[in-house]
Amino acid sequence: MRLLPGLMLALACAAAPARADLLAFETGRGNHNSRGSDAWFLRYQRDMLPLWESTGFIEFTGGSWDGDTTKNRVLGGGLGLRHMLTTRGYASLAAGLSWVTDRTDNLGTHPQFQWRFALGWRVGRVDLALAQIHYSNGRSVFHWKRDRPNVGDNFLTLQIGYVP
């Protein structure tokens, strides 16, 4: 059962390169509550219609992190905006929903919100980005009363991607 999310992600990524607007690998370290975690993510972004002088996109993400107290795997999806700052540089913001396999001291529920802010640079077919990723169920924002804590997991990552 633990292999199912990884298998689904591998099948999705295997079919993605011919149609993807971005297929990327991202790796980094946990920060804030997730210090000491090593993380990796696979990201697939499909461009959509322009919105507010930016490019809208839909993204699907799968990944894993492993630390002393924050071991987990995740599948998620969301919507985002990419705004060009220069002819090659951009800033992007994406938000969506995800499912983590394990409830931990940092993530008290399986369903989570995911947030990602990135500063990137596209040169030809290569996309490089520095990103901050946050997973949380929004307990502190929505003032939900839960027995389990949910302070969230956070990661500072470096992405390398391919733009077909």
Side-chain angles (χ1 to χ4, degrees):
M1 188 64 168
R2 291 187 181 268
L3 293 177
L4 185 59
L7 180 60
M8 289 173 38
L9 179 64
L11 290 173
C13 290
R19 300 189 61 206
D21 289 314
L22 174 68
L23 183 59
F25 174 76
E26 198 168 356
T27 187
R29 297 282 293 174
N31 56 13
H32 301 294
N33 306 317
S34 310
R35 282 197 172 99
S37 295
D38 293 313
W40 64 266
F41 302 93
L42 291 176
R43 185 169 309 284
Y44 167 82
Q45 291 179 350
R46 178 81 175 162
D47 285 354
M48 298 179 0
L49 296 175
L51 183 63
W52 300 311
E53 299 181 15
S54 299
T55 301
F57 60 87
I58 185 168
E59 75 173 9
F60 300 96
T61 306
S64 177
W65 55 91
D66 191 3
D68 294 337
T69 61
T70 60
K71 296 176 170 111
N72 228 320
R73 284 162 305 286
V74 65
L75 283 177
L79 298 172
L81 290 174
R82 183 182 319 104
H83 183 74
M84 297 307 293
L85 302 172
T86 66
T87 56
R88 295 182 178 161
Y90 67 87
S92 71
L93 177 65
L97 300 174
S98 61
W99 184 268
V100 295
T101 56
D102 299 311
R103 294 188 315 187
T104 66
D105 290 343
N106 291 348
L107 300 173
T109 60
H110 292 288
Q112 299 288 317
F113 292 107
Q114 64 185 27
W115 295 88
R116 180 177 182 269
F117 174 74
L119 293 173
W121 187 263
R122 285 193 171 176
V123 179
R125 296 190 178 275
V126 176
D127 183 297
L128 298 172
L130 181 65
Q132 176 67 39
I133 303 171
H134 174 74
Y135 290 96
S136 165
N137 71 7
R139 181 180 144 216
S140 60
V141 172
F142 298 113
H143 304 291
W144 294 339
K145 303 292 183 204
R146 301 290 256 178
D147 293 339
R148 295 188 57 94
N150 200 90
V151 293
D153 274 329
N154 303 281
F155 306 97
L156 184 61
T157 62
L158 180 62
Q159 167 190 288
I160 185 164
Y162 172 73
V163 181

